[in-house]
Amino acid sequence: MKVELRNLTKIFPSRNKKSGEEVIAVNDFTFTIPDGKLIGLLGPSGCGKSTTLYMISGLQKPTSGQIFFGEDDVTELSAENRGIGLVFQNYALYPHMTVKQNILFPLQNLKGADKLPKAEMLQRAYEAAKLVQIDELMDRKPGELSGGQQQRVAIARALVKMPKVLLLDEPLSNLDARLRLQTREEIRRIQKETGITTIFVTHDQEEAMSISDMIVVMKLGVVQQTGRPQEVYDDPTNLFVAKFLGTPPINVFAGEVKSEKLYIGGVAVLDVPGVEDREVTVGIRPEGFVPDANGPLVCKLNSVEVMGRDVSVVSTHASSLNPIVRSIVNSDYRISSEETVRYSLKSHKVFLFDRRDETRIRF
Amino acid sequence: MVESKHKWKAWLYLSPAIVLLLIFTVWPIINTIRMSLLVDYSTIKETGGYAFDFGIKNFVRVLNYPKFLNCLKNTLLLCVLTVPLSTILALLIAVCLNAIKPLQRFLQTVFFLPYVTNSIAIGMVFSAMFNIIGNNIGSSTQLITTAGIINNIIGVFGVDPINWINAGSSYWANITVLVVYIVWDALPFKILVLLGGLQSINRQYYDAAKVDSTPRSRVFTKITVPLLSPMIAYVVITAFIGGFKEYSSIVGIFGDGMGPAGDKGRLNTMVGFIYDSLAASQEGLASAAALILFAIIFVVTMINLYVSKKKTHY
C-alpha cells in the first residue's frame, strides 16, 4: 500500500503556559512512500521522526495536513481503524500473556466478517511466529525472552493481522551491537518476504542506510532530504545531511573560493569550476583523501590506525572545524613522513556549503 | 554477609525495635495464649491468688456460646457481602477517575475525604440519614414525613419508608445499612491503591491495544485487570482482614449496644464479643475468642494468597 503524506504538520502546545511557545514537532512534511518499500525515517533525537510515525499510525492526530493510504484519506481515521501494524520501541508485549497469546491477541479482536475460526487463528499465529523464527518459544512469557526474541514477538504480533503498513519505532535500539546487525538483516528479509510497506524510525544512520530502500533525513521537524541511501550520501543538499550520514563522519574545513579555485588554509586544493568567489564551508568525506607526496593539502600527522583492508589516518589541520581530520586510505599506501601527510582530493567527495545558511554549492 | 565481629553492632542497631516489639507485640501474644489456656481466667482472680486449671475449656465454652456464634455469623456475612462489592466498585471508580483529565485531582481528593474522616462520626451521619425519625418529632403519622434523607429519597419513587435502624427494624434492613456504610467507608483506600496501580501501567500497552483494534471491554478484562491484579489481590486480602475486625462501623450507627434499640447485641461481631468479654472481666474467654479470630483470618488469608498466586501476574 502506498502511503502519502501531504503537508503533514504537528504542533504541540507549550508546557509552560506563560511563555506560550509552541513546539513544532513536524513541519510541512510532504512525501510519498511507494508500495512495498522499506523506508527509514532518520534524524537526531527530537527531529520529529517518531511523531511522524505516530501520526501515520493514528495514535497522534496531525495539526494540519493529510495522510493517504493508497487513495483513501485516513487522516481522520483512528488508530483502531487504520489496519496498521506497529512495533514499539520497548515492544509493549503484554507481560501477562504467553508469546502465543500475544500474537493471537490482534486476531481475536477481529469482528464481523473478518472473524476467524480458532483453528485458523492458531495457524496464522504459527505462520507469523515461523516467519520471525520464534515458533519454539510460543509458551514462554515475554519476561523469559531475550531482547532480540521479544523484538521478534513484537514483529510477529504486528504482522499476524496482515497490516497494510508496518511501522517500527527505533526497532533496534534495545539490542546489543551484534544482535542489531543480525536483526536489521532479519527485518529486511521479513519485509522482502511479506512485501508490506514498512516505515521505520532510527537515529542510527548506518542502520537506515544499510536496509532502507529510501531514507528521509529530518532535522527539527523539517525534512532535509529524501532519496535512496547512496544518493543522499553522495549528494547531500546541506551540511547537516552531509554531517549526519557516514561513519567515520565527514571532515569539515573553513575554505574560500577565489577565481574558481578552492583554498583551504590559503592553499589552492581543488578546481571548482563555476563557483563565484566567496567564503565556504568545505566537507570532505574520509574516502575523498588521496595520499600524494605532492598533494596540496598538508596535514599534521597524529596517528595511523590499521583496520585490515583500509587504514585510517588521523591528522590535524589549522583550518579544520573538527578537532581531527580522519581519512580512510588504501592499506597499500605507506605513510613515509612521520610529521606530515599530504593529500590531493577526489572532487566528487568534496562538497561546498554556504558559510551562513549551510546549503550546498554545486560545482 | 555481616562479619561475626560486627554482629553485635547489628543487634545494637536493631535493639530499639526489638525491645518495643517484645514488649508490645510478642509478650501480649504469648500472654493471650497463656490466658486462653487458663480455665475461667480473669486478672482480678489472678491478683487474688486464685489457681486456674489448665486446659482448652475456654475455647469449648466460646464455641458453644450462642452469642459468639451470632457474632461469627454477623462477621462472616459482612465480609462476604462487602469485600467483593467494595472491590468492584473501587475498581470501576478508579478506572473512571483514571480516564478523565479535567478535575481528576479534585475528584481524587473528594473520593479520598472519607478516609481522613473519623468513622464513628461518619457512622453517626449515616444513622441520621437512615433514621425514621427526623428532627421534628410530632404525632406518629408525622414521624415518617420528617424521617432521614434516605427514606425521603425512596419516598419520591413511591417506595414506602423502611425502618432501617430504629427499634423494631428487621435484621436484613440493619445489614443493608451496614453494607452500604462499610462499602462506602472502604472505598477511598481501595480507590487510592487501584488508581496508583492504574497510573503505573505503561501507556504503551493501551496504544498497542488500540493499534490492534481492541474493543474497550476486552482492554479492561484482558489488559487492565491482569496488569492490576497485584493491587487487586492486595486490596482484597486487606479488605478481608479488615472485615473480620469489623466493629467501629456498628458502634457508629447503632451505638455500643451493637444493635437497634430493643434488640441489643443482635449485630455484634467477633471483635465486639472480645470487648464485651473483657468488660465482663472474662479475659480467658476474650483471649480464646481472639485466638479463634486470628485462626480464621490466618486461614482466609492463606486461601487468598493461594488463589492470588494462581491468578495474579506480578
Side-chain angles (χ1 to χ4, degrees), chain B residues 153-232:
Chain B
I153 289 172
I154 62 174
V156 171
F157 299 99
V159 181
D160 286 338
I162 294 167
N163 186 351
W164 294 106
I165 56 172
N166 298 78
S169 57
S170 74
Y171 177 72
W172 287 104
N174 297 164
I175 290 292
T176 309
V177 175
L178 283 176
V179 166
V180 171
Y181 169 79
I182 293 168
V183 167
W184 187 79
D185 192 44
L187 280 180
F189 175 70
K190 292 195 172 87
I191 292 172
L192 189 78
V193 171
L194 295 177
L195 190 60
L198 282 172
Q199 283 169 348
S200 69
I201 295 178
N202 193 336
R203 292 281 336 142
Q204 281 206 334
Y205 296 131
Y206 292 108
D207 282 344
K210 210 170 175 187
V211 167
D212 290 337
S213 338
T214 319
R216 274 186 174 209
S217 58
R218 213 167 122 81
V219 171
F220 181 74
T221 54
K222 295 283 173 185
I223 297 173
T224 303
V225 171
L227 290 178
L228 206 56
S229 56
M231 311 307 172
I232 296 174

Side-chain angles (χ1 to χ4, degrees), chain A residues 89-91 145-152 155 170-187 204 207:
Chain A
Q89 187 169 1
N90 303 315
Y91 315 138
L145 302 178
S146 71
Q149 290 167 333
Q150 288 185 32
Q151 210 257 1
R152 288 155 190 243
I155 294 179
E170 299 266 6
L172 307 176
S173 63
N174 283 346
L175 305 180
D176 63 49
R178 178 190 286 253
L179 209 52
R180 205 174 300 169
L181 280 178
Q182 202 184 327
T183 313
R184 78 182 189 204
E185 296 310 319
E186 199 83 331
I187 290 174
D204 183 340
E207 200 173 294

Side-chain angles (χ1 to χ4, degrees), chain A residues 44-311:
Chain A
S45 58
C47 72
K49 57 193 189 299
S50 285
T51 307
T52 306
L53 195 79
Y54 284 110
M55 284 195 284
I56 298 172
S57 78
L59 289 174
Q60 282 185 3
K61 273 188 80 117
T63 310
S64 63
Q66 286 165 299
I67 301 166
F68 288 83
F69 284 2
E71 301 306 316
D72 306 326
D73 184 348
V74 297
T75 316
E76 293 301 317
L77 220 55
S78 68
E80 285 95 328
N81 303 319
R82 286 203 190 175
I84 51 117
L86 177 58
V87 176
F88 290 84
Q89 187 169 1
N90 303 315
Y91 315 138
L93 297 174
Y94 308 121
H96 53 289
M97 298 182 196
T98 62
V99 168
K100 186 168 34 177
Q101 288 167 331
N102 262 289
I103 300 175
L104 279 173
F105 196 79
L107 295 180
Q108 288 160 344
N109 291 333
L110 296 175
K111 276 180 294 192
D114 300 330
K115 211 173 155 108
L116 297 172
K118 261 199 178 143
E120 197 181 338
M121 282 194 213
L122 215 57
Q123 194 202 332
R124 275 179 56 179
Y126 271 95
E127 274 169 18
K130 268 213 185 78
L131 188 69
V132 296
Q133 296 166 353
I134 46 152
D135 45 324
E136 310 269 296
L137 308 168
M138 292 296 255
D139 292 318
R140 301 251 195 112
K141 293 242 174 103
E144 297 161 352
L145 302 178
S146 71
Q149 290 167 333
Q150 288 185 32
Q151 210 257 1
R152 288 155 190 243
V153 177
I155 294 179
R157 185 177 68 179
L159 285 176
V160 73
K161 57 179 180 182
M162 316 259 178
K164 298 177 216 158
V165 180
L166 179 64
L167 307 172
L168 304 146
D169 185 14
E170 299 266 6
L172 307 176
S173 63
N174 283 346
L175 305 180
D176 63 49
R178 178 190 286 253
L179 209 52
R180 205 174 300 169
L181 280 178
Q182 202 184 327
T183 313
R184 78 182 189 204
E185 296 310 319
E186 199 83 331
I187 290 174
R188 185 62 176 151
R189 175 184 66 83
I190 294 163
Q191 194 272 332
K192 279 249 167 77
E193 268 182 54
T194 57
I196 294 173
T197 310
T198 304
I199 304 163
F200 80 105
V201 155
T202 179
H203 60 268
D204 183 340
Q205 52 89 21
E206 209 182 320
E207 200 173 294
M209 303 258 290
S210 59
I211 60 171
S212 311
D213 291 313
M214 281 179 102
I215 58 172
V216 177
V217 185
M218 295 180 73
K219 176 195 175 189
L220 296 172
V222 181
V223 176
Q224 305 292 308
Q225 194 171 358
T226 60
R228 299 216 333 272
Q230 197 63 44
E231 283 170 13
V232 178
Y233 180 81
D234 287 338
D235 193 10
T237 54
N238 60 33
L239 183 60
F240 172 80
V241 175
K243 275 178 167 173
F244 198 74
L245 297 186
T247 36
I250 197 162
N251 298 289
V252 185
F253 295 86
E256 201 180 346
V257 176
K258 260 190 257 165
S259 40
E260 303 198 329
K261 276 192 191 306
L262 172 65
Y263 288 81
I264 294 178
V267 181
V269 291
L270 198 69
D271 290 334
V272 284
V275 181
E276 55 190 66
D277 292 1
R278 64 199 294 182
E279 294 203 317
V280 291
T281 302
V282 188
I284 307 172
R285 292 274 182 216
E287 65 273 25
F289 296 90
V290 183
D292 180 347
N294 303 315
L297 189 68
V298 184
C299 294
K300 206 164 147 272
L301 186 65
N302 268 19
S303 62
V304 178
E305 294 165 10
V306 181
M307 302 186 297
R309 188 168 45 87
D310 296 321
V311 171

Side-chain angles (χ1 to χ4, degrees), chain B residues 10-171:
Chain B
W11 285 110
L12 178 69
Y13 298 146
L14 283 171
S15 57
I18 288 176
V19 169
L20 287 174
L21 279 173
L22 282 176
I23 295 173
F24 293 109
T25 307
V26 178
W27 168 243
I29 290 173
I30 293 169
N31 203 23
T32 306
I33 296 170
R34 182 184 77 93
M35 291 190 296
S36 72
L37 291 171
L38 294 174
V39 178
D40 287 334
Y41 175 90
S42 89
T43 37
I44 300 171
K45 284 189 198 166
E46 190 180 43
T47 347
Y50 187 90
F52 300 103
D53 290 335
F54 186 83
I56 57 161
K57 223 173 149 192
N58 286 333
F59 290 93
V60 177
R61 270 188 63 192
V62 167
L63 289 173
N64 284 322
Y65 215 20
K67 258 191 189 170
F68 176 79
L69 295 178
N70 183 46
C71 293
L72 184 61
K73 184 191 84 181
N74 288 335
T75 309
L76 289 176
L77 187 64
L78 288 176
C79 260
V80 167
L81 290 174
T82 58
V83 173
L85 204 58
S86 63
T87 307
I88 291 166
L89 264 178
L91 184 60
L92 292 178
I93 294 173
V95 169
C96 293
L97 265 181
N98 195 39
I100 55 166
K101 279 268 151 59
L103 293 180
Q104 191 190 40
R105 277 168 182 266
F106 171 73
L107 287 172
Q108 230 169 304
T109 313
V110 168
F111 277 102
F112 195 62
L113 275 180
Y115 193 66
V116 291
T117 314
N118 183 300
S119 62
I120 299 285
I122 299 171
M124 290 170 78
V125 172
F126 265 72
S127 83
M129 282 162 56
F130 282 96
N131 219 317
I132 53 166
I133 303 163
N135 288 325
N136 308 312
I137 301 171
S139 68
S140 58
T141 46
Q142 280 175 306
L143 281 178
I144 302 304
T145 53
T146 59
I149 190 168
I150 301 292
N151 272 337
N152 279 314
I153 289 172
I154 62 174
V156 171
F157 299 99
V159 181
D160 286 338
I162 294 167
N163 186 351
W164 294 106
I165 56 172
N166 298 78
S169 57
S170 74
Y171 177 72

